[in-house]
Amino acid sequence: MEIEMKKMTWQEFNDRKDEAVVILPIGSLEQHGPHLPLSTDTIISYNLALLLAKEANGIVPPSGLLATAITSSKEKGELMTKEVIDKFKKIVKEAFD
């Protein structure tokens, strides 16, 4: 059974969406020094969500760049916009209502 929403057909998703647990991977897009990618937190949360979904009849939606870094620093590459959070809320509402 497929757990990654991005790999499901709309029919597979529709059949499972009411009974499956949705495990939302959220992580910051921020600097982690010169040795790690900006999406380190998102990569970790997505892989953890996949492990949980296997155990809990879960569906994992794509993480994309949905979360923002909430820090006082404004390093290059950090994403700190309210619009990203608003887009995330809209995606969840439309997919699961």
Side-chain angles (χ1 to χ4, degrees), residues 29-41 73 75-78:
L29 181 68
E30 62 183 342
Q31 60 83 26
H32 289 86
H35 62 295
L36 293 172
L38 295 172
S39 63
T40 295
D41 296 336
S73 70
E75 297 293 331
K76 291 181 181 178
E78 288 188 3

Side-chain angles (χ1 to χ4, degrees), residues 41-87:
D41 296 336
T42 304
I43 292 167
I44 292 169
S45 68
Y46 189 77
N47 285 293
L48 179 58
L50 292 176
L51 291 172
L52 292 170
K54 289 177 185 175
E55 300 297 322
N57 184 33
I59 293 175
V60 181
S63 56
L65 301 176
L66 301 176
T68 61
I70 301 173
T71 64
S72 58
S73 70
K74 294 191 178 168
E75 297 293 331
K76 291 181 181 178
E78 288 188 3
L79 187 59
M80 302 179 72
T81 61
K82 182 180 180 306
E83 291 81 15
V84 173
I85 293 172
D86 290 343
K87 183 184 287 188

